[in-house]
Amino acid sequence: MTLVVDNKWGSEDRSGPRHVAIIMDGNGRWAAERRLPRVEGHRKGVETVRQIVEASKELGVTHLTLFSFSSENWARPKQEIHDLFGLLRRFIRRDLAELHKNGVRIRVIGSRTDLDGDILRMLDDAVELTKDNTALNLTIAFNYGARDEIVRAGRQIAEAARRGDLAPEDVTEERFASLLDTDGLPDPDLLIRTSGELRLSNFLLWQLAYAEFVFVDTYWPDFDKTHYEAAIAEFQRRNRRFGGRTARSTA
C-alpha cells in the first residue's frame, strides 16, 4: 500500500496516536538495489531512526517502539549480525548523550540470552541514565520475539501457581500483561511496517490486538517525516471501535 500525504490529517478533528510501533524493514533490499553491502543499508537505517525519533516528538507521539533485532535474526550470516551489533554499539556511544539531552527515555525489551556482556552493560546504562526523562518514551525491541515473551510470562504464571501463590481465577488479562516486557507501557495505537511486507513477524502479538496497521512500500532507509505524517493521517481517518459499534478514543 502506498500512502499519499494528506495535508489535513483526516476530515475530522481526531487525535493522533500516542504510541507508535514500527517494524523497520528493507535495509538489505535498499542496499542491494544500489549494489552496496547490506551493512550500508543498516547504517542508513540508523540515520532514519534519528530522524523518526525527532519527528515523533514534533508530531505529538509520546511512545515509540522500534523493532531493531528479532530473536529470529540470529539465523542471519554471522558477519551481518556482527555488523548490526557494531552499529548498535556506535549508536549508543554517539547518540545516547543527545537523546538524554532531548528528554528521551530509553527502554529495552526482549531476551537477554546470548547477548555479549558489553552490549548488556551499554543497554542497562542507557536505561538508567534516561529513566527520569519525559519528552518521549523510546522502547527498543532487541533480541525480541513475541512468542518467547508470551511463553516467559506463561512460565511465571505456572511457577506462581505451583508455589500456591496464584489461583486460576487470579489469571486475568491485566495480570498476564503485567508479566510481559512491556509492563507499564500503553498498547500501541498504530503499527507501521516499511518495505511493503504485510506481516507482523512475531512482533508485539499481544499488545497489537487493537492497533491500526499501516503498511508502506518505502524501504526503511528512505522513510522520512513526510511518510510518517502520511501514516498518521491514515490512522486518523479510521474509526477505532474496539469491538463496539461506535468509535472510541484512547487519548
Side-chain angles (χ1 to χ4, degrees), residues 68-160:
S68 64
F69 187 83
S70 81
S71 53
E72 287 78 26
N73 286 157
W74 291 104
R76 293 188 177 188
K78 290 184 178 179
Q79 183 58 50
E80 183 173 358
I81 294 173
H82 175 79
D83 292 340
L84 286 167
F85 278 49
L87 286 171
L88 174 66
R89 291 181 174 95
R90 191 178 309 168
F91 175 77
I92 294 176
R93 292 187 184 116
R94 173 178 169 178
D95 292 81
L96 180 57
E98 187 70 15
L99 290 170
H100 181 46
K101 176 183 175 182
N102 291 330
V104 177
R105 180 180 181 179
I106 297 174
R107 179 167 178 167
V108 181
I109 61 174
S111 172
R112 298 172 69 89
T113 304
D114 298 324
L115 296 181
D116 292 343
D118 72 310
I119 289 283
L120 290 173
R121 286 189 296 273
M122 293 177 75
L123 294 175
D124 288 343
D125 288 347
V127 170
E128 178 63 24
L129 176 66
T130 63
K131 65 181 181 181
D132 296 322
N133 293 340
T134 58
L136 175 71
N137 292 274
L138 174 62
T139 301
I140 306 296
F142 189 79
N143 196 25
Y144 173 86
R147 288 183 173 181
D148 171 71
E149 176 190 33
I150 291 170
V151 167
R152 285 189 280 112
R155 189 176 296 125
Q156 292 183 66
I157 292 282
E159 290 174 350

Side-chain angles (χ1 to χ4, degrees), residues 51-63:
Q51 297 171 20
I52 296 307
V53 167
E54 185 61 31
S56 294
K57 294 191 296 178
E58 295 173 4
L59 296 172
V61 174
T62 60
H63 293 75

